[in-house]
Amino acid sequence: MAMAVALRAAKRALRGELRQRLRALGAAEKQRQSRLLSRKVIGHPKYQESQRIAIFLSMPDEIQTEEIIKDIFEQGKECFIPRYKPHSSHMDMLKLSSAEDISSLALTSWNILQPSDDDSAREEALAGGGLDLIFMPGLGFDKKGNRLGRGKGYYDTYLDRCMKHPSGKPYTIALAFREQICESVPMAENDVQVDEILYEDC
Ligand SMILES: Nc1nc2c(c(=O)[nH]1)N(C=O)[C@@H](CNc1ccc(C(=O)N[C@@H](CCC(=O)O)C(=O)O)cc1)CN2
Ligand SMILES: Nc1ncnc2c1ncn2[C@@H]1O[C@H](COP(=O)(O)OP(=O)(O)OP(=O)(O)O)[C@@H](O)[C@H]1O
Ligand SMILES: [Mg+2]
């Protein structure tokens, strides 16, 4: 069944509120919380035992992921980043060869760095050995693991594909500013909960 009208409206309203809260966060505060979370990630047992990891290249209103990405390569792990297809809910996770490889990527119309459409040299995570861990972006989260994304269903759809892969469902960790933690986040049938949310006071 299509998402109920009331649920869609509730999500839209909460997205608006969260965007406003995030706009009020200063650069120094965003950097402070991002550094704190990078240290939590690097000490996290699920991270330490994961070899194939998907992570997002952060936008200005998201936890900055560059320190984690550097650590992934320093630890000799494999790093995959999203490439979404506009006007669809399709996304692939493509292999990044090094932290420097990021500078070869182009900005999309949504100001996200990603591999170009004709880049067919990169391994897609599910064409190979699947993923052990996915770091999840999003606008808001509640303590039960409910997640509100940017409204295109890219991650929900991708997690569906992961569940059909022989390696099974990857562990999912959302990275959030404390300002993104909500009392409750409305969820639809298609929405996939995250296993864990990392934020300052968790
Ligand atoms: N850093 C980062 N990368 C990510 C995500 C993310 O949340 N964070 N994504 C997580 O999903 C995917 C991209 N998500 C997107 C979500 C919406 C639109 C989009 O087309 N937006 C419309 C405007 C929609 C609106 O404002 O209502 C547009 O550009 O016209 C594009 C990408 C993959 N990469
Ligand atoms: N597994 C799925 N298969 C097909 N469509 C899906 C799936 N999950 C979600 N969708 C569709 O995607 C649209 C947006 O979903 P939703 O509002 O949950 O986005 P979101 O989770 O906030 O965004 P994102 O995952 O991109 O960050 C909805 O119309 C929903 O029906
Ligand atoms: Mg969703």
Side-chain angles (χ1 to χ4, degrees):
M1 201 184 73
M3 210 192 313
V5 173
L7 185 61
R8 210 186 292 262
K11 283 188 173 186
R12 187 180 307 134
L14 187 56
R15 280 194 187 96
E17 191 188 308
L18 285 159
R19 284 210 173 91
Q20 230 175 325
R21 253 192 249 169
L22 286 166
R23 265 200 300 275
L25 265 186
E29 176 61 11
K30 286 192 276 197
Q31 189 175 69
R32 187 187 68 78
Q33 292 191 40
S34 296
R35 286 192 173 144
L36 196 144
L37 285 203
S38 300
R39 290 193 295 272
K40 279 198 195 206
V41 164
I42 291 165
H44 196 295
K46 286 285 188 189
Y47 171 72
Q48 291 172 348
E49 71 190 28
S50 292
Q51 181 62 25
R52 292 167 63 89
I53 300 175
I55 191 163
F56 55 94
L57 299 177
S58 35
M59 294 189 269
D61 60 354
E62 295 172 330
I63 289 287
Q64 303 300 291
T65 55
E66 65 214 38
E67 284 181 39
I68 302 173
I69 293 171
K70 271 194 230 149
D71 191 76
I72 290 174
F73 287 106
E74 277 167 21
Q75 303 300 323
K77 301 175 187 291
E78 294 174 78
C79 186
F80 296 83
I81 53 164
R83 180 179 67 192
Y84 70 92
K85 195 166 164 277
H87 316 297
S88 79
S89 57
H90 187 85
M91 174 173 78
D92 286 320
M93 288 292 183
L94 301 181
K95 189 155 181 187
L96 197 62
S97 57
S98 66
E100 294 70 44
D101 186 14
I102 294 172
S103 58
S104 74
L105 305 175
L107 280 176
T108 69
S109 65
W110 242 50
N111 267 307
I112 303 174
L113 286 169
Q114 68 175 22
S116 64
D117 292 339
D118 58 15
D119 188 338
S120 55
R122 292 176 193 274
E123 176 193 345
E124 205 291 317
L126 299 178
L131 288 166
D132 302 316
L133 173 64
I134 303 183
F135 287 108
M136 306 280 293
L139 285 173
F141 309 90
D142 69 25
K143 290 181 178 173
K144 292 187 178 139
N146 297 325
R147 164 182 176 274
L148 184 72
R150 290 175 191 270
K152 300 288 175 193
Y154 289 116
Y155 275 87
D156 294 315
T157 307
Y158 194 77
L159 285 170
D160 257 13
R161 280 169 64 199
C162 289
M163 290 182 235
K164 291 170 190 139
H165 189 274
S167 71
K169 191 192 148 295
Y171 194 76
T172 52
I173 298 180
L175 301 175
F177 295 111
R178 61 192 305 179
E179 289 78 6
Q180 292 178 285
I181 307 303
C182 307
E183 188 51 43
S184 91
V185 166
M187 292 284 272
E189 257 175 89
N190 277 334
D191 287 318
V192 184
Q193 286 185 316
V194 298
D195 292 311
E196 194 176 331
I197 301 157
L198 285 189
Y199 58 101
E200 181 169 12
D201 341 72
C202 70

